[in-house]
Amino acid sequence: MAPEKEKQSTFLQIENYSRIGKNIVNQFYIILKTAQVHDPNNVAFVHTMENLIKTLSPILKKGEDVMLSLKSDYLYFEDTRLKQDIEGFVSFNYVITELKKREIGSIIFKSNLDQKDLKKFVHIFLNFTATKGSIFEALEMQIDSAGIAGIDIAKLKPEKEEYRFAEAGTKKDAAKRGYFSAVAVTKEIMDNARLNQTINVRKAKRAVQSIVDLILQEEISILGLTTIKNYDEYTYNHCVNVCVLSIALGQRLGFSKTHLSELGLAAVFHDIGKVTIPVDILHKTLEFNDEEWAMIRRHPVDGVTTLLKMKGLNELAVKSMIVAFEHHLNFDLSGYPKIKNKWPLNLFSKIVSIADCYDAMTSARVYNKIPFSPDKALSLMWDRTGRYYDPLVLKVFVNMLGIYPIGTLVILDTREMGLVFQGNPNPEKLDRPRVILIADASGASRNVKLIADLSETDPATGKYKRSIVRAEDPKKFNIDVAEYFL
């Protein structure tokens, strides 16, 4: 064959394999998802398997085995690396994640593959159990025991991971310990208050002081953890997130370390009035009725009543009561509870109110099932400044988080995908944060977590190397933002 024709033939084969490979990944993703909701004999499930076998059959009929492999966070069909676009991010990312969980480096589809073998393989893939030893070996043993002849698997080869993100691992670990310790303490406080038992204020103080120290030493890591939105433990996570955001904001406003600790404790206690609300109402999956809304709106007053039961009332306890009562009043006092005589809100209350609303708007809850993206939440809050929030305090909060706050998923003009993890300290460049690059231009997940400073310019042209095109909803791409900060 002439060199030019041979080159053209090779190119066509690569293009063909790339197309087939993408179809196989998408179809395998659909099979796994369908198998989780349908019976193995369901028409929909059978149809998905028929599609995969039909896609593979032109190659299998030649008596050749074909291989789907995972190498360095890239999927390969035979020796052809599959270039993934943003539209295919969900299926590719899901398949890569599931292969890694099972330590699978390759799935080999053999020439004698039939629907029976594929059905058995999918069942074992999703339901296998590993009591001890290697996950892969347990999976391989169950596949052999099932007598599956048409599919084989190979083990994932270990790759050296180089995480340039958060090189100071010990600081990141300290942030996690401090955060989760505060969540545990908050849970204990709330549970004790619900049972009318003594609230351990000393333990709460220690937890808050550790958060203050972390904000002063390793603000990026601890602020990143506020992206954790645990629906089942929402109240506890929310109180700690509000505490972290409030302390960070107080630090920007020039508070002393002592005042930061007082502010943090008031933030932890701001929703303590919710202990009087039955748990089944707090976790209700349907909309609240009028009576339940009235109960919810009463929690600021109930918070004061609950805190009054604390032993040794002092100035710190009084500050916490003020915040518990005022955090839903709004800047213009149009909120709840309704008051007859107007007074200026306490500065702690203004801060906690902003942190509380921001975390609530970016979390999924009973009355906010679809959370706002961080940038959208800030935009909505900015529209309400002067009525709901103190304009000056909110401006400092926006400057702290940036136009694209921590945890915002962004698409860049390079077609890379990134997660914002640090705002730009320059007020004139709030739209140019630092981001973790989580997917390259082809849409493939990055194994090495690189950091890009969006204010960086090309020395030759003077133009920015990367710019944000738009923010996206992480759920659209099956991305758990919190995983990148844990």
Side-chain angles (χ1 to χ4, degrees):
M1 186 183 290
E4 197 61 39
K5 284 189 176 180
E6 187 176 349
K7 184 177 179 182
Q8 188 177 10
S9 175
T10 302
F11 175 77
L12 288 172
Q13 183 177 340
I14 290 172
E15 285 292 295
N16 190 39
Y17 271 32
S18 179
R19 178 180 54 78
I20 294 172
K22 282 183 179 181
N23 284 341
I24 289 169
V25 173
N26 288 328
Q27 287 164 2
F28 188 53
Y29 163 75
I30 293 168
I31 285 173
L32 294 178
K33 285 292 188 180
T34 307
Q36 293 174 50
V37 294
H38 288 299
D39 182 87
N41 297 316
N42 182 276
V43 175
F45 180 57
V46 171
H47 183 62
T48 61
M49 292 193 297
E50 287 174 348
N51 283 342
L52 179 57
I53 292 174
K54 185 178 178 181
T55 301
L56 288 165
S57 66
I59 303 174
L60 297 178
K61 280 180 181 177
K62 296 177 184 177
E64 300 174 7
D65 297 344
V66 292
M67 185 185 301
L68 180 69
S69 304
L70 174 62
K71 300 173 187 175
S72 301
D73 274 357
Y74 292 104
L75 287 172
Y76 288 75
F77 182 64
E78 292 297 278
D79 294 324
T80 302
R81 192 182 118 186
L82 302 180
K83 293 181 181 179
Q84 161 198 355
D85 50 29
I86 289 177
E87 287 71 27
F89 185 87
V90 173
S91 55
F92 271 64
N93 200 44
Y94 180 84
V95 171
I96 289 169
T97 301
E98 295 305 307
L99 291 178
K100 281 184 178 179
K101 282 181 185 176
R102 295 158 180 80
E103 301 173 358
I104 296 175
S106 300
I107 298 177
I108 302 100
F109 300 100
K110 298 193 172 183
S111 56
N112 59 341
L113 175 67
D114 59 23
Q115 199 175 113
K116 186 178 177 182
D117 274 351
L118 184 55
K119 186 187 291 187
K120 285 182 183 178
F121 175 77
V122 170
H123 176 75
I124 293 171
F125 188 92
L126 292 173
N127 300 290
F128 86 101
T129 53
T131 51
K132 51 178 142 177
S134 164
I135 294 172
F136 175 81
E137 287 169 4
L139 180 59
E140 190 176 41
M141 191 179 298
Q142 290 179 42
I143 289 171
D144 289 342
S145 299
I148 298 172
I151 298 178
D152 203 355
I153 57 174
K155 191 169 184 179
L156 182 66
K157 293 179 181 177
E159 299 258 352
K160 184 180 178 182
E161 292 186 340
E162 178 191 352
Y163 287 100
R164 279 177 246 178
F165 169 55
E167 290 173 349
T170 52
K171 288 185 178 180
K172 192 177 176 187
D173 289 341
K176 285 193 285 186
R177 285 196 300 272
Y179 179 90
F180 287 111
S181 173
V183 171
V185 169
T186 302
K187 186 177 188 304
E188 181 183 320
I189 287 168
M190 293 286 198
D191 289 346
N192 286 348
R194 189 172 284 111
L195 297 170
N196 287 318
Q197 295 177 354
T198 304
I199 296 173
N200 193 330
V201 181
R202 188 174 297 175
K203 189 180 284 189
K205 280 183 183 177
R206 284 199 300 269
V208 168
Q209 283 165 359
S210 71
I211 296 289
V212 171
D213 291 336
L214 286 164
I215 289 287
L216 297 176
Q217 297 167 16
E218 187 58 21
E219 185 182 80
I220 295 174
S221 294
I222 191 70
L223 276 177
L225 293 174
T226 62
T227 59
I228 296 172
K229 312 289 184 182
N230 188 333
Y231 187 86
D232 294 330
E233 302 289 333
Y234 171 74
T235 301
Y236 317 124
N237 271 105
H238 172 65
C239 287
V240 175
N241 288 347
V242 172
C243 171
V244 171
L245 291 167
S246 296
I247 292 171
L249 179 52
Q251 196 254 345
R252 291 297 197 289
L253 291 168
F255 285 16
S256 67
K257 193 172 179 180
T258 299
H259 285 148
L260 288 177
S261 294
E262 292 174 349
L263 171 62
L265 194 66
V268 167
F269 286 142
H270 82 283
D271 261 348
I272 199 165
K274 286 186 176 178
V275 300
T276 61
I277 302 171
V279 175
D280 59 333
I281 292 178
L282 285 176
H283 293 171
K284 187 180 176 183
T285 55
L286 301 174
E287 296 291 333
F288 294 134
N289 59 35
D290 291 344
E291 185 180 345
E292 290 162 345
W293 266 119
M295 198 178 294
I296 293 290
R297 290 171 190 262
R298 203 167 56 237
H299 81 267
V301 175
D302 292 338
V304 175
T305 306
T306 302
L307 290 171
L308 276 169
K309 298 175 184 176
M310 288 197 316
K311 288 185 177 179
L313 281 175
N314 54 27
E315 185 182 350
L316 181 57
V318 172
K319 286 180 179 178
S320 295
M321 288 180 209
I322 291 171
V323 170
F325 184 82
E326 292 185 342
H327 73 282
H328 281 300
L329 272 179
N330 294 340
F331 181 61
D332 65 355
L333 305 178
S334 63
Y336 62 89
K338 296 298 179 185
I339 55 175
K340 291 182 179 179
N341 300 318
K342 307 293 184 181
W343 64 76
L345 290 179
N346 183 279
L347 180 55
F348 277 15
S349 300
K350 294 176 182 179
I351 292 170
V352 171
S353 172
I354 288 172
D356 173 50
C357 287
Y358 175 76
D359 188 69
M361 289 173 77
T362 54
S363 305
R365 301 174 298 159
V366 174
Y367 39 92
N368 185 35
K369 289 186 174 63
I370 302 175
F372 291 106
S373 61
D375 62 306
K376 181 66 173 175
L378 273 192
S379 177
L380 288 171
M381 290 175 70
W382 189 255
D383 289 342
R384 298 171 180 174
T385 188
R387 183 188 172 196
Y388 284 35
Y389 318 106
D390 183 304
L392 179 60
V393 179
L394 183 59
K395 185 176 182 180
V396 176
F397 187 71
V398 172
N399 285 344
M400 177 181 86
L401 293 183
I403 294 172
Y404 298 101
I406 289 173
T408 304
L409 178 68
V410 292
I411 306 297
L412 306 178
D413 57 358
T414 55
R415 289 188 61 79
E416 294 169 299
M417 192 180 284
L419 275 177
V420 176
F421 87 99
Q422 184 183 24
N424 194 314
N426 185 342
E428 296 179 0
K429 294 184 177 180
L430 295 179
D431 60 339
R432 298 204 162 271
R434 298 179 77 198
V435 302
I436 312 165
L437 297 176
I438 65 171
D440 63 20
S442 70
S445 300
R446 286 184 179 274
N447 189 37
V448 179
K449 302 299 182 284
L450 298 174
I451 300 301
D453 184 345
L454 299 189
S455 64
E456 189 179 355
T457 57
D458 185 337
T461 63
K463 294 181 179 179
Y464 289 113
K465 290 184 176 181
R466 294 178 175 89
S467 296
I468 294 173
V469 175
R470 66 182 184 275
E472 280 282 6
D473 180 2
K475 288 187 176 179
K476 179 180 174 183
F477 301 99
N478 281 351
I479 294 172
D480 182 357
V481 173
E483 284 185 6
Y484 290 87
F485 296 94
L486 285 169

